[in-house]
Amino acid sequence: MASIAFFSLFLLLLCAHGGAPVLGFTRSDFPPDFVFGAATSAYQYEGAVAEDGRSPSIWDTFTHAGKMADKSTGDVAADGYHKYKDDVKLMADTNLEAYRFSISWSRLIPNGRGAINPRGLEYYNSLIDALVQHGIQVHIMLYHLDYPQILEDEYGGWLSHRIVEDFTAFSDICFREFGDRVSYWTTIDEPNVGAIGSYDSGIIAPGHCSDPFGITKCTIGDSTVEPYIAAHNMLLAHASATRLYREKYQAVQKGVVGLNIYSLWAYPLSNTTLDIEATKRLVDFTFGWVLEPLISGDYPETMKKIVGSRLPTFTRTQSEAVIGSADFIGINHYFSVYVNDRPLDKGVRDYAADLSVSYKTSKNDPPGGKFPPTSYPTDPSGLQLVLLYLKKACGDIPIYIQENGNASSNDTLDDTDRLEYLKSYIEGTLAALRKGANVKGYFTWAFLDVFEFLAGYQSRYGLYRVDFDDEALPRQARLSARWYSAFLKNNGINVQSELNNPGLDAEQ
């Protein structure tokens, strides 16, 4: 199904790329049930890693081992654990309609299973209550690349099927404790990229990889097998948690449960058959890896043929459980790539070697560039094509853009580049809506500067600048925050980028 969808969109791809953007838009151009928000995640935002009963997570271990390029940690991060009330007030002042955040498994259930940490429970209840009181819709990501270290030590985390039971129990507690105020649940963030970064290249905690594929120096792992095992267990855990919610909570709570995918759009570097086929492979390995099991209960034929016995298989019972196990699809989308058919050189990660492709974010980039990139060209047509692809591949399932943002090199408050990126991708979303994509929401990454998993504090995505050199970690509105606030407030007015919101002037 995914393969057919790709080729049916290929002509559209050729026509849309580089085409004229949507000519102006306002908030009222979007449907009444469309929601605009911003996002963060627990480890990246909260800090307070050793406070109030929280146990170490895999990211605490990873960063304290000096694995980040800047040797940074999330020990303090943006200090959201202490500053959330002021931050929620700032969200309200920004006119945010929704906020997407994640639950720290280590904070809520420090031992990975069993007893709930009362202080952790109190924190999330207070955060949710504050959002509700300010009329901000709550979207929760249950797992955002961050589980208790004790589960890694005990059985290897996502490499063991045992995590399915523990993740389901963790989800059960979240549904039970927060579901009276939360209607939008996403089980797992980016199974596709999480598996690659954590178990192939080693650039994401817990940092598994094997020579010659690791980008970092790893002491444990097998890059040829572990990414596929981890992703398989993530899919089973997602299906298990969704089934639990549907059987135990959905009738009363009326909520929905979805799964998140890291998405990018892929253009063939040339119009040769080899490059077009290479692009199709990348789409199968990016989208199909997660989507095809939800549709057919099995992996794409392309993956099965290339990966062979290293790719886990679903039992009949597992296949039936995974099919249809998402009420919506969430995507994290940042950039597009150009793909050509070329086995990569020794030293790159095995996942890409399986694909036998090379990719870059611009046709003019030299081969062998860093991936994921630290900067990338703006391509809102790519987001539009992803949304239309998902409509073709998955039918009319609702789609939420759960992350989209730009790591501006400009750390001042005058972030014109980030603002233009934000505007253009919202335009791309509207264009996809007008072509029939069932998009229900857009969340920019990030609400404020946070600890970034791939770059620590060297990369800034926030609408609000956080001064990490100041112990008080003050928040200051960037131009992008001012525009987003005015856009959301002035429903039928086309807001220009230079407009300011006086309510955002004060340093928080």
Side-chain angles (χ1 to χ4, degrees):
M1 184 181 297
S3 300
I4 295 173
F6 176 82
F7 284 109
S8 67
L9 279 175
F10 187 68
L11 289 178
L12 174 62
L13 180 155
L14 292 176
C15 295
H17 184 48
V22 177
L23 299 177
F25 61 94
T26 70
R27 174 65 184 90
S28 62
D29 288 319
F30 291 81
D33 63 346
F34 190 97
V35 65
F36 281 96
T40 66
S41 83
Y43 184 78
Q44 297 176 270
Y45 167 70
E46 291 176 3
V49 297
E51 291 186 38
D52 293 342
R54 180 188 179 277
S55 68
S57 78
I58 53 173
W59 272 99
D60 295 304
T61 303
F62 186 80
T63 58
H64 281 243
K67 295 286 188 171
M68 301 299 297
D70 63 352
K71 306 302 180 185
S72 62
T73 75
D75 288 1
V76 177
D79 199 24
Y81 186 73
H82 298 110
K83 292 179 173 292
Y84 73 92
K85 290 182 180 179
D86 289 338
D87 287 341
V88 171
K89 173 72 165 53
L90 200 55
M91 292 174 200
D93 291 343
T94 313
N95 302 304
L96 282 196
E97 300 165 359
Y99 175 52
R100 196 222 80 184
F101 64 96
S102 69
I103 305 291
S104 167
W105 194 341
S106 294
R107 194 178 300 283
L108 188 63
I109 312 175
N111 291 324
R113 68 176 74 87
I116 300 174
N117 173 20
R119 296 302 297 273
L121 181 62
E122 178 185 4
Y123 168 72
Y124 289 113
N125 270 322
S126 296
L127 171 58
I128 292 168
D129 286 345
L131 291 166
V132 172
Q133 288 164 10
H134 283 86
I136 298 171
Q137 194 177 91
V138 183
H139 289 242
I140 287 183
M141 180 79 69
L142 289 169
Y143 173 78
H144 194 111
L145 306 176
D146 184 25
Y147 59 82
Q149 179 65 36
I150 193 171
L151 300 183
E152 175 72 12
D153 297 337
E154 184 177 345
Y155 55 67
W158 289 114
L159 297 179
S160 170
H161 185 73
R162 291 174 60 185
I163 199 170
V164 174
E165 180 179 355
D166 287 339
F167 179 78
T168 305
F170 164 59
S171 302
D172 192 9
I173 290 170
C174 293
F175 296 148
R176 184 185 73 216
E177 298 294 338
F178 312 131
D180 59 328
R181 291 151 292 160
V182 178
S183 297
Y184 300 92
W185 300 94
T186 307
T187 53
I188 296 172
D189 178 76
E190 303 177 348
N192 47 355
V193 163
I196 298 166
S198 297
Y199 300 99
D200 183 0
S201 64
I203 60 175
I204 295 175
H208 287 215
C209 65
S210 60
D211 289 336
F213 305 113
I215 293 177
T216 62
K217 182 67 175 178
C218 301
T219 59
I220 188 173
D222 183 346
S223 298
T224 67
V225 174
E226 288 185 358
Y228 303 111
I229 294 172
H232 191 75
N233 286 327
M234 289 180 197
L235 285 167
L236 296 178
H238 157 76
S240 177
T242 302
R243 179 177 180 178
L244 171 76
Y245 185 80
R246 289 173 175 175
E247 292 179 350
K248 191 174 179 180
Y249 297 102
Q250 197 166 45
V252 173
Q253 296 180 357
K254 310 297 184 185
V256 288
V257 181
L259 182 62
N260 175 276
I261 302 174
Y262 185 92
S263 73
L264 49 78
W265 190 249
Y267 301 105
L269 188 62
S270 74
N271 62 0
T272 64
T273 300
L274 286 176
D275 281 359
I276 292 171
E277 286 297 315
T279 305
K280 176 190 175 297
R281 286 198 303 276
L282 183 62
V283 171
D284 282 345
F285 270 72
T286 303
F287 294 99
W289 191 3
V290 180
L291 289 179
E292 192 62 33
L294 303 182
I295 298 167
S296 69
D298 201 0
Y299 294 112
E301 290 298 323
T302 305
M303 291 191 74
K304 293 196 290 184
K305 179 179 179 181
I306 293 173
V307 183
S309 61
R310 292 180 289 121
L311 188 68
T313 58
F314 293 100
T315 67
R316 181 175 178 179
T317 300
Q318 291 171 342
S319 182
E320 291 173 350
V322 173
I323 293 174
S325 60
D327 298 321
F328 66 87
I329 298 296
I331 63 168
N332 295 350
H333 182 89
Y334 291 88
F335 57 88
S336 302
V337 294
Y338 290 87
V339 182
N340 70 324
D341 180 81
R342 184 185 65 187
L344 297 182
D345 297 333
K346 182 178 179 180
V348 301
R349 61 182 188 269
D350 181 69
Y351 172 84
D354 278 342
L355 287 170
S356 296
V357 304
S358 180
Y359 34 86
K360 50 190 180 177
T361 57
S362 169
K363 282 188 175 183
N364 299 322
D365 287 347
K370 183 179 179 181
F371 194 91
T374 53
S375 62
Y376 35 82
T378 299
D379 180 35
S381 293
L383 174 58
Q384 179 187 163
L385 290 166
V386 164
L387 296 170
L388 294 174
Y389 169 85
L390 292 172
K391 179 177 175 61
K392 288 280 189 179
C394 305
D396 207 36
I397 189 170
I399 307 294
Y400 286 87
I401 301 164
Q402 295 183 316
E403 288 184 22
N404 174 247
N406 181 33
S408 174
S409 58
N410 178 2
D411 191 35
T412 71
L413 302 183
D414 187 20
D415 61 337
T416 306
D417 50 353
R418 184 183 289 106
L419 170 57
E420 293 307 314
Y421 179 99
L422 176 66
K423 291 173 62 179
S424 67
Y425 277 82
I426 292 176
E427 288 179 343
T429 302
L430 180 58
L433 267 167
R434 289 172 169 169
K435 292 180 180 179
N438 190 18
V439 196
K440 294 296 186 180
Y442 173 94
F443 293 75
T444 186
W445 182 271
F447 177 66
L448 73 176
D449 292 337
V450 295
F451 170 88
E452 292 293 339
F453 283 141
L454 297 180
Y457 302 102
Q458 296 176 323
S459 183
R460 309 291 177 90
Y461 284 82
L463 296 175
Y464 286 84
R465 182 180 185 271
V466 177
D467 185 352
F468 293 107
D469 294 325
D470 185 334
E471 288 186 3
L473 298 172
R475 282 79 156 117
Q476 291 178 288
R478 291 192 169 107
L479 183 62
S480 54
R482 298 175 187 276
W483 179 85
Y484 202 37
S485 175
F487 165 68
L488 296 176
K489 180 180 181 180
N490 298 284
N491 195 30
I493 301 173
N494 196 320
V495 180
Q496 301 303 314
S497 61
E498 61 268 17
L499 285 181
N500 290 332
N501 181 341
L504 303 182
D505 284 341
E507 183 175 292
Q508 301 291 314

